[in-house]
Amino acid sequence: MPGRRRAARKRTLPRALTSQFALPSAAAATLVFTTTGATMAGSAPLELQATPVDIALAQSQVSESRSDVEALAERRSETTGTAALLQGRQQEQDRIARDKQRKALAKKKEEEAEKKRQEEARKASQRWVFPIGKYRYTSGFGSRWGRLHAGIDLAAPVGTPIYSVSSGVVRRAAHTGACGNNVWIEHWDGTVTRYCHLDYMSVSVGQRVAPGEKIGGNGNTGRSYGPHLHFEVRPGGMDGAPVNPVGWLKSKGLGI
């Protein structure tokens, strides 16, 4: 009738439209909202309803989302574990490398120390010393009584220690004619030195001696007119020609 307002009709959206709204649970099965706009200004609230199928679909989507989150968390955990494993391996490799470097450095230092010890030992074994302590120079090298006096004479009391002038090997140690008890030593550079008129000999053939090692005591054996050391030097070896010991000793830093 004219003048009366018609009651607002309750409208329900078609299923095709309601399926676009994902509802999390059955408690949210009904949605009500008010549309705005010039053409709908006087309209009543519009109520939307979701079907059980829509609810099930929404719940399935929520479940899938949770599964995705759990899978992502698992992948992150695996990634973290892999990173930790790689870091551990790298740290172990670094430790091994440092250990190798430390051992190499220690080995190098030990080799250098050993080389230094060997060099010091070599120098010590190749040093030259005077063959007797206190002495009196009584006769030189050269012609005497019509023959070559092949060495120098150094007078000292009987028993005064006689020393090897450097390291070497004893080649002869015996009593022979004019030289009495005498010792021949071949040194590291091939030079042979001879020590005559000894009272006694404290070394034997084949024995190795060091610089300054005692080889006997001064004496008066053989053709001798008083206790003294007759000292000879033969740079050419056992069969080499004798040279003046004075100049040779000076070349070794040992003066008369």
Side-chain angles (χ1 to χ4, degrees), residues 45-86:
L46 181 63
E47 182 178 313
L48 300 180
Q49 294 182 345
T51 66
V53 175
D54 298 328
I55 295 173
L57 179 60
Q59 291 176 338
S60 175
Q61 291 175 345
V62 170
S63 178
E64 290 178 357
S65 297
R66 289 176 179 173
S67 298
D68 292 341
V69 171
E70 292 174 356
L72 179 60
E74 184 177 355
R75 286 196 297 271
R76 287 180 177 176
S77 177
E78 292 176 353
T79 302
T80 302
T82 302
L85 179 62
L86 293 176

Side-chain angles (χ1 to χ4, degrees), residues 99-115 117:
D99 189 54
K100 287 183 178 180
Q101 185 177 13
R102 178 183 59 80
K103 289 181 178 179
L105 181 60
K107 183 179 180 181
K108 182 179 180 180
K109 288 183 177 180
E110 179 60 28
E111 289 175 349
E112 290 176 350
E114 179 61 24
K115 184 177 180 180
R117 286 193 294 268

Side-chain angles (χ1 to χ4, degrees), residues 21-255:
F21 297 90
L23 303 180
S25 65
T30 303
L31 293 178
V32 178
F33 64 90
T34 302
T35 60
T36 60
T39 58
M40 300 296 293
S43 300
L46 181 63
E47 182 178 313
L48 300 180
Q49 294 182 345
T51 66
V53 175
D54 298 328
I55 295 173
L57 179 60
Q59 291 176 338
S60 175
Q61 291 175 345
V62 170
S63 178
E64 290 178 357
S65 297
R66 289 176 179 173
S67 298
D68 292 341
V69 171
E70 292 174 356
L72 179 60
E74 184 177 355
R75 286 196 297 271
R76 287 180 177 176
S77 177
E78 292 176 353
T79 302
T80 302
T82 302
L85 179 62
L86 293 176
Q87 183 179 11
R89 289 178 179 175
Q90 184 62 47
Q91 290 175 347
E92 179 64 13
Q93 291 176 355
D94 292 343
R95 185 193 66 77
I96 293 174
R98 289 193 302 270
D99 189 54
K100 287 183 178 180
Q101 185 177 13
R102 178 183 59 80
K103 289 181 178 179
L105 181 60
K107 183 179 180 181
K108 182 179 180 180
K109 288 183 177 180
E110 179 60 28
E111 289 175 349
E112 290 176 350
E114 179 61 24
K115 184 177 180 180
K116 184 178 180 180
R117 286 193 294 268
Q118 291 179 357
E119 180 63 17
E120 290 175 350
R122 182 191 66 80
K123 289 181 178 180
S125 68
Q126 294 180 0
R127 66 189 179 94
W128 300 94
V129 300
F130 208 78
I132 192 171
K134 292 184 178 181
Y135 65 91
R136 181 169 55 88
Y137 184 82
T138 58
S139 184
F141 177 88
S143 178
R144 189 178 67 175
W145 304 329
R147 66 177 65 184
L148 176 65
H149 184 238
I152 58 175
D153 293 341
L154 307 172
V158 173
T160 299
I162 303 300
Y163 309 109
S164 172
V165 295
S166 191
S167 60
V169 179
V170 177
R171 295 305 183 192
R172 292 178 185 172
H175 183 97
T176 55
C179 270
N181 294 327
N182 65 103
V183 174
W184 298 61
I185 299 176
E186 183 178 13
H187 300 288
W188 54 270
D189 66 344
T191 299
V192 170
T193 53
R194 188 183 188 190
Y195 312 77
C196 296
H197 307 305
L198 303 182
D199 183 63
Y200 63 90
M201 298 173 288
S202 55
V203 293
S204 57
V205 175
Q207 180 178 336
R208 291 186 174 276
V209 293
E213 183 173 342
K214 182 180 176 181
I215 61 173
N218 189 48
N220 193 34
T221 60
R223 188 182 300 167
S224 174
Y225 302 98
H228 71 282
L229 170 67
H230 174 84
F231 177 67
E232 296 182 7
V233 177
R234 300 171 184 266
M238 296 291 292
D239 298 325
V243 299
N244 190 340
V246 174
W248 183 86
L249 287 168
K250 286 183 178 179
S251 71
K252 308 302 181 185
L254 304 170

Side-chain angles (χ1 to χ4, degrees), residues 11-31:
R11 297 182 181 180
T12 302
L13 291 177
R15 181 176 299 179
L17 294 178
T18 59
S19 62
Q20 298 178 6
F21 297 90
L23 303 180
S25 65
T30 303
L31 293 178

